[in-house]
Amino acid sequence: SQWVKLAEEQGEIVRKLKEEIKADPSRPKDELDAAVAKLKELKAKADDPMNALEDPVTKGKYDLVRSVGEECVADGELAMLMARKPESFVLYDGFEPSGRMHIAQGVFKAMNVNKCTRAGGTFIFWVADWFALMNDKMGGDLEKIKTVGKYLVEVWKATGMDMERVKFVWSSDEISNNAAAYWTQALDIARRTTIARVKKCCQIMGRLENKLTAAQILYPLMQATDIFFLKADICQLGVDQRKVNMLAREYCDSAGIKNKPIILSHHMLYGLKKGQEKMSKSDPDSAIFMEDSVEDVARKLNNAYCPATAEEEEKKAPAEGDEIDAGLESMHLVENDLKNPCLDYVDNIIFAVPDQVFTCGGIDYTSFASVKEAFVGGKMDEATLKAALIDAVNKLLDPVRKHFSENAEAKALLEQMIEWKKADLKPPIGLKRLVAADASKGPVWAVVAPPANENLNLGEVCSVLRQLTAAPGDVQLILWCPDWTSFVLNKCGGDQKVITACYTMLREALAAVKPDVMARVTVLMQSEAILKDPSQYWISVINVGRYFQLQRVREVDETNEYAGQVIAALMHVADVLALAPLTLACSSASSLEAANKLAVAYIEETHVTEIGKPSITSLDPLDSLLKPKHMMEGPANADDDIFVLDNSMDVGRKLKRAFCEPGNIEHCPPITLIDACVFSIGASLTVTRKEENGGDVTYSALAELRADFKSGAMHPGDLKPFVTKAVDAFLQSVRDRCKSEETAKKAEADIKAYLKKAAAASKKKK
């Protein structure tokens, strides 16, 4: 840029002035100050991304692409993209093959696509057939939905869309073939985005914000995922999609993504009736559709709202407590006091076609401005405008009608569409779910492991062990490790490798301390199970979300304000459906217990018959905290808990400081730890003492120890050393396994590396 050159020259002037003043300190600094100010001004101009438009080729591409959008976020980024990737930039839009295509999606979109591809871009259409399946379109038949998609492609061909640089990507194929990449991207966006932020996207669904279903938190996250999954440089959708596209840009800030997707939002056509901010597929008279007959076009446009002067709108302020429909917000960024849909069609449909001439009342108009001026000025009346518009619209639709009457393939598609429309297709009835457990092996006793924790503590291990050992001998025992749920809850900083290591460590710790129990247990990693049939799993997640109101799902854990909490709760219900257990074992008063209750409620309230309603067995959790909770003030201290990876010195130091008040059995961490490490695995505790202190005593049950401690027969000073030995022996079995088993050894190394890195980052922040 010329500004870069001028800034460099000015920088040299400033440098020389500084040298001269250094040589002669008495010289006035006014000239230097002025030179520095000019340098700053030139640098600002040099840093302006719009300088890229100094190249005429780049400017031509920019102007062509920019003409598509009513708004661009951001113009400078678009200019730089045209300079950086003049022949390889990617734009995307998505559509659900649900039947009809209105004229904006047909003609207006085709002309916009042609502008973008002529400028050097590749336009990707994300054919959301999987989402249509999810929404039970075309009777929930994917092949029928794909046929609808092919029909819409034929409409665009007939409309004049240049297909040379257009790609149609079918979501059902892409998501199924790349499920891990797609869904982990969606989960990553969810874990970084607050529920309040996602709610702002509700306009794209036109729902009452405080009557949202839980699924409506998932939809915008998935739409944002599409952008990154397709590696789109530009989101070329309507203004109505702006909020969710902005969410994608905000995600880039959180995820450290430098090149944000550019948002190029096209105009939204008004509905043909008064007060309709946009067209509606549910109201066939609100728009012209691509398959409309000549008579349909005439009837709709003759009845269309068509004011020549602005009319005052009656706007009622919502009463206190009333719900506000976010979908009623204006779909337009440019002020338009007329809101005349007929003029809107002339501007954005008729003149969207290159070199178009609009003939009205015997006069040829080559610009929309001249048409509007004549109509508003009274030189053109409503009937004349509408007659000319009817003629012009029919001329645009004639090639489509001809294509579907003369092209054999297109004709067959249209006939099939008409037949299905008459058939009133109904979606199949029945539960859609992943099947993760083999029912032929007997009833399932399921234990869902807690969210991954890099500081896996003794209490968590022993609580899971207690839930597993509570199972009768005639059941199929399954430990479900929710690694993707942990990821969406941002556990372990969202490091999937560490999350996997945490569950490996849990499994290995359980095998070390209770090998006979673990010999019966089938350990299932959630992600591995999901990827065996991802489509059925995520459809079940979404179906659960569509049933439950958002607030009901929030009640599982209202302390978490991120969208990940909602997704995690829905996934838990889908996990239960996948396992179809007879019994769900969990810790009482935990978020897992609340999630289990939500799953049981879904099965009961939706009258699921394919699987039985599980019973919930809630067991008291084992707590390894070394202080009573009422004494836990301030930031967490590593010495206040016993961790699975603690060494012998750690155990000794921590237990020496552990709270252990004589006679207090309500809050006595050493007794709790003995229960966890000794009594719960069927062992006994022997405390050796001098005869004058009561002599040796052996305890085989928790009640005996608690009774002696309460009466004073067992003193804290006598108890603590033997608790230390017992806890250390318990953990030594885990340490030995980490030395002998490669999987355990690797998991330990991964967790320790992460902890070291996290500690260094925390220290750096301070």
Side-chain angles (χ1 to χ4, degrees):
S1 168
Q2 60 171 327
W3 298 109
V4 174
K5 186 178 179 182
L6 289 171
E8 289 172 351
E9 291 172 355
Q10 186 65 21
E12 185 61 22
I13 292 170
V14 169
R15 187 186 66 77
K16 287 180 179 178
L17 284 172
K18 285 182 177 179
E19 286 180 356
E20 290 171 8
I21 289 173
K22 188 176 181 181
D24 181 10
S26 63
R27 180 173 173 171
K29 294 183 179 180
D30 294 355
E31 188 179 358
L32 175 62
D33 291 341
V36 169
K38 186 176 180 181
L39 176 60
K40 287 180 179 178
E41 183 182 333
L42 290 170
K43 279 186 173 180
K45 289 181 177 179
D47 291 338
D48 186 352
M50 298 302 284
N51 290 332
L53 303 185
E54 289 176 5
D55 174 59
V57 175
T58 302
K59 187 175 189 313
K61 290 176 177 290
Y62 171 87
D63 288 343
L64 197 55
V65 174
R66 183 62 182 85
S67 69
V68 167
E70 195 164 80
E71 178 194 56
C72 178
V73 181
D75 286 316
E77 292 174 24
L78 181 61
M80 291 299 293
L81 178 67
M82 295 300 103
R84 193 175 76 250
K85 299 172 69 174
E87 297 295 327
S88 60
F89 61 94
V90 176
L91 309 96
Y92 117 95
D93 191 359
F95 69 93
E96 184 179 299
S98 54
R100 311 187 76 189
M101 179 187 283
H102 53 62
I103 198 166
Q105 191 181 7
V107 176
F108 186 43
K109 189 72 210 181
M111 297 306 107
N112 282 344
V113 168
N114 288 350
K115 288 178 183 178
C116 295
T117 56
R118 194 159 70 245
T122 296
F123 207 106
I124 295 178
F125 278 103
W126 181 241
V127 189
D129 55 338
W130 189 86
F131 298 88
L133 173 69
M134 175 186 78
N135 290 324
D136 294 327
K137 298 295 172 66
M138 305 308 293
D141 186 323
L142 187 58
E143 289 309 309
K144 286 186 174 68
I145 291 166
K146 287 192 172 188
T147 301
V148 175
K150 290 172 185 174
Y151 160 74
L152 298 178
V153 172
E154 288 298 318
V155 174
W156 274 317
K157 285 180 183 177
T159 306
M161 184 183 288
D162 183 355
M163 295 294 179
E164 188 178 345
R165 300 186 69 136
V166 174
K167 293 181 180 178
F168 291 92
V169 179
W170 298 81
S171 65
S172 60
D173 296 333
E174 293 300 313
I175 294 176
S176 295
N177 294 336
N178 303 280
Y182 184 88
W183 291 111
T184 53
Q185 176 69 76
L187 298 177
D188 192 49
I189 296 172
R191 78 185 178 95
R192 297 175 185 271
T193 308
T194 65
I195 295 168
R197 175 61 187 88
V198 180
K199 280 183 176 181
K200 291 180 181 178
C201 298
C202 293
Q203 177 177 312
I204 68 171
M205 292 166 286
R207 303 286 182 162
L208 293 168
E209 189 172 316
N210 54 348
K211 285 192 174 180
L212 292 176
T213 65
Q216 287 164 296
I217 294 298
L218 182 56
Y219 294 152
L221 299 172
M222 292 169 71
Q223 189 172 326
T225 299
D226 298 341
I227 298 166
F228 300 101
F229 182 71
L230 296 170
K231 296 180 171 59
D233 298 305
I234 301 173
C235 303
Q236 206 294 279
L237 294 89
V239 168
D240 60 334
Q241 309 294 309
R242 183 182 185 277
K243 289 183 179 181
V244 74
N245 290 333
M246 288 300 294
L247 184 149
R249 285 179 63 88
E250 291 164 23
Y251 163 74
C252 289
D253 293 329
S254 174
I257 297 171
K258 184 180 177 183
N259 293 322
K260 299 178 182 179
I262 295 162
I263 303 171
L264 192 64
S265 305
H266 63 245
H267 174 75
M268 299 294 294
L269 255 68
Y270 287 105
L272 293 175
K273 297 178 180 179
K274 183 178 180 179
Q276 289 183 325
E277 286 286 340
K278 68 172 185 174
M279 298 175 294
S280 169
K281 288 182 182 178
S282 61
D283 180 0
D285 283 344
S286 72
I288 302 298
F289 289 87
M290 296 303 291
E291 72 269 25
D292 278 352
S293 66
V294 173
E295 293 75 20
D296 288 331
V297 172
R299 176 178 54 79
K300 291 180 182 182
L301 289 178
N302 278 325
N303 292 329
Y305 177 58
C306 190
T309 56
E311 297 181 8
E312 233 180 273
E313 289 184 75
E314 188 182 348
K315 290 185 177 178
K316 292 182 180 179
E320 189 176 342
D322 278 3
E323 290 125 352
I324 300 171
D325 188 347
L328 294 178
E329 290 183 26
S330 175
M331 296 289 174
H332 304 88
L333 300 173
V334 177
E335 191 65 33
N336 181 348
D337 56 350
L338 279 183
K339 297 187 177 181
N340 182 324
C342 294
L343 289 178
D344 204 21
Y345 270 49
V346 173
D347 186 12
N348 293 289
I349 299 298
I350 308 306
F351 282 110
V353 180
D355 306 318
Q356 182 74 321
V357 175
F358 180 61
T359 302
C360 184
I363 300 173
D364 291 341
Y365 295 90
T366 57
S367 71
F368 168 68
S370 60
V371 176
K372 182 178 180 181
E373 183 182 356
F375 180 71
V376 173
K379 295 178 182 178
M380 179 193 302
D381 62 24
E382 180 179 332
T384 305
L385 172 64
K386 286 183 173 180
L389 182 57
I390 290 166
D391 183 57
V393 168
N394 274 318
K395 282 179 181 176
L396 289 175
L397 296 183
D398 278 342
V400 179
R401 295 170 183 142
K402 184 178 180 183
H403 181 68
F404 280 94
S405 63
E406 296 181 0
N407 182 285
E409 184 181 350
K411 187 177 181 180
L413 284 169
L414 179 58
E415 288 172 354
Q416 186 69 83
M417 289 280 297
I418 293 169
E419 182 185 330
W420 287 339
K421 193 174 179 182
K422 291 177 181 176
D424 189 25
L425 302 169
K426 301 291 184 185
I429 297 171
L431 178 68
K432 291 181 180 178
R433 69 180 184 104
L434 170 73
V435 177
D438 185 352
S440 67
K441 293 182 179 179
V444 171
W445 177 287
V447 174
V448 177
N453 182 0
E454 65 271 26
N455 288 307
L456 179 64
N457 63 49
L458 197 59
E460 288 174 309
V461 173
C462 293
S463 293
V464 171
L465 189 59
R466 174 175 283 186
Q467 293 158 31
L468 292 169
T469 54
D474 59 347
V475 296
Q476 190 182 167
L477 199 49
I478 293 179
L479 175 61
W480 181 264
C481 297
D483 54 334
W484 275 8
T485 296
S486 295
F487 176 57
V488 81
L489 289 172
N490 203 31
K491 299 301 179 182
C492 305
D495 189 321
Q496 294 182 72
K497 178 182 175 182
V498 177
I499 289 170
T500 301
C502 290
Y503 283 123
T504 300
M505 182 54 66
L506 173 63
R507 183 190 69 216
E508 296 296 332
L510 291 168
V513 299
K514 205 69 175 170
D516 57 325
V517 172
M518 289 306 290
R520 288 181 56 206
V521 176
T522 299
V523 180
L524 295 178
M525 287 296 286
Q526 181 191 45
S527 61
E528 293 174 5
I530 290 171
L531 290 174
K532 289 178 181 177
D533 194 354
S535 183
Q536 287 297 308
Y537 179 81
W538 288 105
I539 287 174
S540 72
V541 170
I542 292 161
N543 283 343
V544 172
R546 289 197 293 192
Y547 175 75
F548 283 122
Q549 292 291 305
L550 173 61
Q551 184 52 41
R552 192 166 177 192
V553 176
R554 290 285 293 120
E555 288 168 5
V556 171
D557 181 9
E558 290 190 271
T559 62
N560 187 336
E561 293 299 322
Y562 281 80
Q565 182 273 323
V566 177
I567 310 307
L570 299 182
M571 289 175 71
H572 183 87
V573 179
D575 294 345
V576 172
L577 296 177
L579 291 167
L582 176 70
T583 306
L584 284 163
C586 62
S587 292
S588 58
S590 64
S591 59
L592 274 175
E593 183 183 46
N596 281 340
K597 288 178 179 178
L598 189 72
V600 171
Y602 178 78
I603 292 168
E604 187 173 42
E605 293 171 22
T606 59
H607 309 292
V608 170
T609 57
E610 291 85 350
I611 63 174
K613 185 179 78 171
S615 62
I616 299 174
T617 297
S618 298
L619 303 168
D620 290 337
L622 285 159
D623 191 350
S624 53
L625 285 173
L626 299 177
K627 290 180 183 177
K629 289 183 179 178
H630 68 272
M631 294 177 64
M632 302 291 287
E633 295 179 358
N637 189 323
D639 275 4
D640 290 340
D641 207 339
I642 299 290
F643 302 114
V644 169
L645 295 182
D646 281 348
N647 59 37
S648 295
M649 288 182 64
D650 293 330
V651 174
R653 181 185 72 255
K654 291 179 178 184
L655 278 166
K656 191 174 182 180
R657 299 173 54 192
F659 179 82
C660 192
E661 185 180 46
N664 184 347
I665 59 170
E666 295 302 317
H667 301 290
C668 187
I671 291 180
T672 302
L673 289 173
I674 282 296
D675 184 28
C677 299
V678 177
F679 300 137
S680 66
I681 61 172
S684 59
L685 172 71
T686 298
V687 177
T688 58
R689 299 177 293 188
K690 293 179 180 179
E691 284 298 327
E692 58 265 31
N693 292 331
D696 299 348
V697 59
T698 297
Y699 298 102
S700 56
L702 177 63
E704 299 169 1
L705 176 59
R706 284 168 61 88
D708 274 5
F709 192 82
K710 184 177 182 180
S711 68
M714 176 56 65
H715 190 271
D718 293 329
L719 178 63
K720 273 191 174 185
F722 294 94
V723 173
T724 301
K725 286 180 182 179
V727 171
D728 193 52
F730 187 93
L731 293 181
Q732 187 59 47
S733 63
V734 180
R735 297 178 200 129
D736 291 343
R737 193 169 180 89
C738 287
K739 289 177 183 177
S740 62
E741 297 290 333
E742 282 301 317
T743 53
K745 188 185 294 184
K746 185 179 183 305
E748 180 185 27
D750 288 344
I751 293 169
K752 285 184 174 179
Y754 173 77
L755 289 169
K756 185 177 180 181
K757 184 179 176 181
S762 178
K763 189 176 180 182
K764 191 175 180 181
K765 280 184 182 179
K766 292 179 182 177

